[in-house]
Amino acid sequence: MPLWPVYTGTNAPHDGIERLPPPPPWRAFDGGPLLDPPEEAADRSAVSPDRVHRAETYRATEDTVQLVNAALYLRRPLLVTGPPGTGKSSLVYAVARELRLGPVLRWNITSRSTLHDGLYSYDPLSRLYAARQQAAQQAAPQETAPEETGLPETGPEAPDETGIEHHLRLGPLGTALLPYARPRALLIDEIDKSDLDLPNDLLNVLEEGQYQIPELVRAARLAPDGTARVPADGTGEAVPVVRGQVRCRAFPFVVLTSNGEREFPPAFLRRCVTLRLRRPDDRHLADIVRAHLGEPDSYAQELIGRFLDRTSAGDLATDQLLNAIYLARTSNLDSASLDRLAEQLMPHLGQGAGTDVF
């Protein structure tokens, strides 16, 4: 029997993802050939100290645990909204670590981001250069040494780098939708900063769990088995793409974050599980401080109280509080100097803030 919850929020790694029940029939996918998920260390950025720390110290609320599991069970993206500094982007790292989903794929959204950017990139100019270089090699006199022409060595074993797959690379979304045996974790960060069309453009891809690479569809006619090996995002591992079609097997755990700077269309919202993070209370803040910096002392408790008082007048981020407590412990300043420094480190965010009296 599957056990709820699969994700517990305890930060203890386990293989509970294998207990996940079959998906609803309208969210079942059958992509192939089946791929093993990469090891965490295969992506160097995934094991950087900052990402590891974020994963280990995240403190999930009960609502967060419930809605993460709802997204996992339903094979739906999780849209996470809330004030700045409430841990929206850190959540995906914590879930990936606990459930052993491998390195997190990350797509940072800007106003210029398009669906194509997330799926794959193709560089036709580098392919043209490779074709010209190969033609120059073939036209060079056979008695001329390679070092004299400045061209790479030729011969029957020389690699042919004029194929499209050598100049194409999967993006974070395109990699997440590969037919992995386990779900990959994907962070689509700050989706509210995108062009108005991007959420609608994502609808079909996230609903169908698949996409097409037209350049490989055309090239497949010339390949013996129609298979190209294309570098994946993050690890750079060459993965097979058959006839230009990519379809997932295990739907990825997709987290989209939003600071609430815009509204999303109803068609987009109904395809997501929505988690609204609230400002942490005093107990939750103490847990966060404890996870990052150890047991809070009396001055840290005082700063927590001040931080909570100030949130009623405007937005503050939890990392502002952590910065103030860290410096209070390491700077050896007197109490008056610490108070002034804390005030400078914890200004209200945004234009709608009230007074900044500390």
Side-chain angles (χ1 to χ4, degrees), residues 49-122:
D50 60 320
R51 290 194 180 185
V52 172
H53 179 79
R54 292 169 71 181
E56 291 177 343
T57 57
Y58 186 81
R59 292 298 180 263
T61 64
E62 182 178 347
D63 285 347
T64 298
V65 172
Q66 291 286 70
L67 290 173
V68 165
N69 282 285
L72 289 168
Y73 272 60
L74 295 172
R75 277 66 168 185
R76 289 289 186 186
L78 182 68
L79 175 62
V80 184
T81 66
T86 50
K88 296 185 293 294
S89 59
S90 297
L91 170 60
V92 66
Y93 295 102
V95 175
R97 178 179 182 272
E98 181 179 321
L99 299 183
R100 295 175 175 159
L101 302 183
V104 173
L105 299 158
R106 181 167 185 150
W107 183 16
N108 296 312
I109 300 299
T110 70
S111 60
R112 298 180 299 277
S113 298
T114 66
L115 177 62
H116 190 280
D117 298 331
L119 293 176
Y120 71 95
S121 60
Y122 170 53

Side-chain angles (χ1 to χ4, degrees), residues 56-335:
E56 291 177 343
T57 57
Y58 186 81
R59 292 298 180 263
T61 64
E62 182 178 347
D63 285 347
T64 298
V65 172
Q66 291 286 70
L67 290 173
V68 165
N69 282 285
L72 289 168
Y73 272 60
L74 295 172
R75 277 66 168 185
R76 289 289 186 186
L78 182 68
L79 175 62
V80 184
T81 66
T86 50
K88 296 185 293 294
S89 59
S90 297
L91 170 60
V92 66
Y93 295 102
V95 175
R97 178 179 182 272
E98 181 179 321
L99 299 183
R100 295 175 175 159
L101 302 183
V104 173
L105 299 158
R106 181 167 185 150
W107 183 16
N108 296 312
I109 300 299
T110 70
S111 60
R112 298 180 299 277
S113 298
T114 66
L115 177 62
H116 190 280
D117 298 331
L119 293 176
Y120 71 95
S121 60
Y122 170 53
D123 187 352
L125 293 180
S126 70
R127 189 185 182 204
L128 177 62
Y129 176 77
R132 286 180 175 176
Q133 195 174 48
Q134 186 181 66
Q137 292 170 6
Q138 294 172 348
Q142 295 296 317
E143 64 274 9
T144 304
E147 58 269 17
E148 296 179 15
T149 65
L151 300 172
E153 294 188 22
T154 60
E157 297 182 359
D160 180 6
E161 296 189 353
T162 61
I164 287 180
E165 65 272 18
H166 297 291
H167 309 278
L168 191 148
R169 186 182 184 90
L170 299 183
L173 175 59
T175 299
L177 291 172
L178 287 168
Y180 287 110
R182 281 188 175 196
R184 292 296 304 273
L186 168 66
L187 172 63
I188 304 179
D189 204 22
E190 298 188 328
I191 184 68
D192 52 332
K193 290 186 176 179
S194 72
D195 178 86
L196 291 174
D197 293 330
L198 183 58
N200 285 323
D201 293 342
L202 283 168
L203 287 180
N204 185 64
V205 172
L206 294 177
E207 186 68 16
E208 301 295 330
Q210 63 183 2
Y211 64 96
Q212 186 181 84
I213 303 176
E215 294 87 350
L216 292 182
V217 173
R218 293 190 292 269
R221 302 168 190 162
L222 305 177
D225 59 356
T227 300
R229 299 192 68 84
V230 181
D233 185 67
T235 63
E237 176 190 8
V239 293
V241 176
V242 181
R243 296 181 178 84
Q245 307 289 334
V246 177
R247 180 172 171 82
C248 69
R249 176 70 66 89
F251 188 79
F253 176 62
V254 181
V255 172
L256 306 103
T257 69
S258 169
N259 289 320
E261 296 180 5
R262 57 176 285 196
E263 294 184 355
F264 297 106
F268 177 78
L269 292 175
R270 75 176 181 85
R271 288 171 169 84
C272 298
V273 174
T274 301
L275 168 64
R276 294 179 176 85
L277 296 180
R278 297 176 174 83
R279 294 189 183 97
D281 58 19
D282 56 347
R283 182 177 299 180
H284 193 191
L285 276 176
D287 286 342
I288 293 172
V289 171
R290 191 176 295 110
H292 286 272
L293 299 171
E295 191 66 32
D297 56 21
S298 59
Y299 188 72
Q301 294 285 3
E302 182 180 339
L303 285 178
I304 291 173
R306 295 183 189 180
F307 179 88
L308 289 170
D309 291 340
R310 287 165 56 78
T311 56
S312 61
D315 284 337
L316 291 173
T318 307
D319 56 350
Q320 294 174 283
L321 173 65
L322 293 174
N323 290 337
I325 293 176
Y326 173 79
L327 287 179
R329 292 186 174 184
T330 58
S331 61
N332 293 322
L333 295 174
D334 58 67
S335 58

